[in-house]
């Protein structure tokens, strides 16, 4: 993958906008909108993929359809300085954690958690809390999504088959 920034022009932006709206849009359909042939669109998409601008194509699924009806954000506070690498190892062991990032402010990390129900969420939270370097957590339950079409409102990556059975 190329580490140099990829030059963008208005056509690239229009192509990206079309793909972000619907990744299944054909190159011919995009070409008709942006004024290029399907071959020219494909070349640009290939270049954007090769340069790492486009990182993949996914399906967005309603989490409730997969049995994930409870959602929360968890602030994680660590003892001392827990390196991000160690935090990443921990969160990978919990399939219910759909996103995790280090953050500024009082907390060391922020986790996005999906679970079957509140009881399952509590089990996940207890598994996180047993890590020896985690001092405390603060949880905020999601009641509704104000932007229902945002990526956060839907699962953007497949949920492991055994995730719902983790206890």
């Amino acid at each position: 993958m190329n580490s140099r920034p990829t030059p963008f022009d208005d056509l690239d932006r229009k192509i990206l906008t079309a793909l972000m709206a619907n990744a299944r849009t054909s190159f011919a359909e995009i070409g008709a909108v942006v004024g290029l042939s399907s071959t020219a669109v494909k070349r640009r998409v290939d270049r954007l993929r090769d340069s790492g601008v486009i990182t993949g194509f996914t399906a967005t699924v309603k989490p409730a359809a997969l049995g994930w009806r409870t959602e929360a954000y968890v602030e994680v506070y660590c003892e001392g300085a827990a390196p991000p690498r160690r935090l990443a190892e921990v969160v990978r062991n919990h399939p219910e954690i759909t996103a995790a990032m280090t953050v500024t402010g009082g907390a060391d990390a922020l986790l996005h958690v999906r679970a079957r129900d509140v009881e399952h969420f509590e089990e996940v939270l207890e598994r996180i809390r047993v890590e020896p370097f985690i001092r405390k957590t603060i949880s905020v339950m999601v009641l509704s999504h104000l932007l229902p079409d945002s990526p956060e409102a839907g699962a953007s990556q497949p949920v492991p088959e055994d995730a719902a059975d983790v206890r």
Side-chain angles (χ1 to χ4, degrees), residues 5-145:
T6 301
F8 276 73
D9 62 19
D10 286 338
L11 290 174
D12 290 330
R13 291 183 203 291
K14 289 177 182 177
I15 291 168
L16 288 171
T17 298
L19 289 172
M20 289 168 56
N22 180 358
R24 296 186 66 176
T25 305
S26 72
F27 295 148
E29 291 171 309
I30 295 171
V33 171
V34 303
L36 292 174
S37 68
S38 59
T39 305
V41 171
K42 181 187 182 317
R43 277 195 304 268
R44 284 176 176 257
V45 169
D46 288 345
R47 179 179 47 82
L48 292 167
R49 289 182 73 194
D50 290 343
S51 66
V53 172
I54 296 175
T55 58
F57 299 91
T58 62
T60 301
V61 178
K62 287 185 178 184
L66 301 172
W68 301 95
R69 300 191 184 282
T70 300
E71 178 180 10
Y73 286 89
V74 178
E75 292 181 346
V76 176
Y77 296 79
C78 299
E79 286 293 342
R85 178 180 66 255
R86 178 66 182 117
L87 285 167
E89 290 171 9
V90 169
V91 299
R92 281 190 198 103
N93 292 329
H94 303 282
E96 299 89 351
I97 299 174
T98 61
M101 58 284 306
T102 56
V103 295
T104 62
D108 294 294
L110 183 65
L111 311 178
H112 184 208
V113 178
R114 292 194 186 269
R116 290 184 313 272
D117 51 33
V118 174
E119 181 180 292
H120 181 205
F121 172 73
E122 187 175 21
E123 292 170 9
V124 173
L125 196 56
E126 291 305 316
R127 283 189 272 127
I128 293 167
R129 288 178 175 161
V130 299
E131 294 295 332
F133 63 88
I134 294 181
R135 180 171 45 92
K136 75 174 185 175
T137 61
I138 296 176
S139 304
V140 179
M141 302 295 288
V142 174
L143 299 177
S144 64
H145 285 271

